[in-house]
């Protein structure tokens, strides 16, 4: 183990439409804004987001963002997964908001249910029903 390694500090996401992504991560997923700054010299927003008081995502915008292949089977980071206490309740909210998601599957090793969905930039995300709340 790397000496002093504690935990994942944050995940950085570059979005193509800042307003749409800010809405998605705060209003749809319910992450809380820790800090929002506009960096005029870079024409870039930086939005720091927390989940249950834990800082987890830095959301960036830039004037020009080249597209990146980001489907789950592409080389590189596969997806970002969020643990949920009740998957049925979470997908019911997606249904109410018109957010598409894949059919719910069951993890053959843990017996837990999960589904994949996408953010406004088609970044693959997962909801994984976990025992912790």
């Amino acid at each position: 183990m790397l000496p002093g390694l504690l935990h994942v500090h944050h995940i950085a996401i570059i979005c193509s439409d800042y307003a749409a992504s800010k809405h998605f991560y705060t209003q749809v997923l319910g992450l809380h804004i820790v800090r929002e700054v506009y960096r005029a010299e870079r024409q870039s927003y930086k939005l720091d987001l927390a989940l249950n008081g834990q800082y987890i995502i830095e959301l960036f915008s830039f004037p020009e963002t080249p597209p990146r292949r980001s489907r789950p089977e592409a080389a590189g980071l596969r997806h970002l997964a969020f643990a949920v206490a009740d998957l049925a309740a979470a997908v019911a909210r997606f249904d109410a908001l018109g957010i598409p998601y894949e059919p719910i599957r069951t993890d053959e090793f843990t017996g837990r249910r999960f589904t994949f969905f996408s953010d406004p930039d088609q970044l693959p995300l997962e909801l994984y029903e976990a025992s912790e709340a």
Side-chain angles (χ1 to χ4, degrees), residues 4-107:
L5 187 64
L6 300 174
H7 54 79
V8 173
H9 185 265
H10 69 270
I11 299 147
I13 298 172
I14 298 172
C15 62
S16 62
D17 181 332
Y18 181 73
S21 291
K22 178 181 177 181
H23 173 81
F24 179 82
Y25 283 97
T26 61
Q27 302 303 308
V28 174
L29 296 184
L31 302 183
H32 298 281
I33 297 173
V34 175
R35 178 181 320 105
E36 180 178 33
V37 295
Y38 181 73
R39 302 172 307 171
E41 71 282 358
R42 300 182 80 182
Q43 299 176 3
S44 167
Y45 279 98
K46 180 179 180 284
L47 184 65
D48 297 334
L49 299 167
L51 176 61
N52 297 322
Q54 181 180 355
Y55 177 67
I56 61 165
I57 292 180
E58 289 180 346
L59 184 66
F60 292 93
S61 71
F62 293 103
E64 294 182 32
T65 54
R68 179 188 328 206
R69 185 173 171 195
S70 64
R71 293 311 321 147
E73 303 308 327
L77 182 65
R78 181 176 172 144
H79 62 268
L80 170 59
F82 293 97
V84 295
D86 184 347
L87 186 60
V91 297
R93 176 156 168 78
F94 282 179
D95 287 338
L97 295 171
I99 295 172
Y101 54 91
E102 292 183 2
I104 293 173
R105 295 184 268 170
T106 301
D107 185 316

